[in-house]
Amino acid sequence: MRGREIVLDKNCCTGCMSCVAVCPQDALTSTFDADGLLASLEQKTDAWISCGRQRRFHPDEIIVPCMGVLSKPILAAMGFRASGSVIFNLAGCIECPNHQSSEVFKKDLFEVVDALADVLDSELIISETDREAELTETDRRSYLTNLK
């Protein structure tokens, strides 16, 4: 804050959009389309969500700018709007400059799930596994099994 004005230091901003997610007066906004995200969840049985910096593991993953943009109200809405599971791909977050935002995201998600577990229509899941390594390992094992 500079007086009564919000001033963003572009040199410090990592683009996590956490400031947008937590701003109570919507003074900070983004071009992120939360309504579009929620609408796309209604079309999928299981939805994978990744940030733009993640490696893709599913052919039709939904891309968000960063998990930090997903506020508690959006997470709750996702739990009501999705018809199956919503899997959040956090596999690469540990090396990301926005790592702190992913930790806040996980905390918020656990709070939403704990508070609404009895009424959510879908399961909200965090995946922190490098699925490519997991698939390579599985392929190698099946190859050796078949070779045997």
Side-chain angles (χ1 to χ4, degrees), residues 92-112:
C93 289
I94 194 77
E95 291 113 19
C96 182
N98 296 337
H99 176 68
Q100 186 176 359
S101 294
S102 68
E103 293 300 317
V104 172
F105 164 78
K106 287 193 282 189
K107 181 181 132 319
D108 289 349
L109 181 65
F110 292 139
E111 288 177 10
V112 167

Side-chain angles (χ1 to χ4, degrees), residues 37 40-50 55-64 85-87 89:
L37 170 67
S40 67
L41 290 177
E42 293 175 351
Q43 311 298 319
K44 301 177 185 291
T45 303
D46 290 326
W48 281 81
I49 298 179
S50 293
R55 187 174 344 138
R56 308 295 173 263
F57 296 118
H58 197 271
D60 61 344
E61 283 184 58
I62 299 168
I63 307 303
V64 297
S85 297
V86 179
I87 303 112
N89 175 10

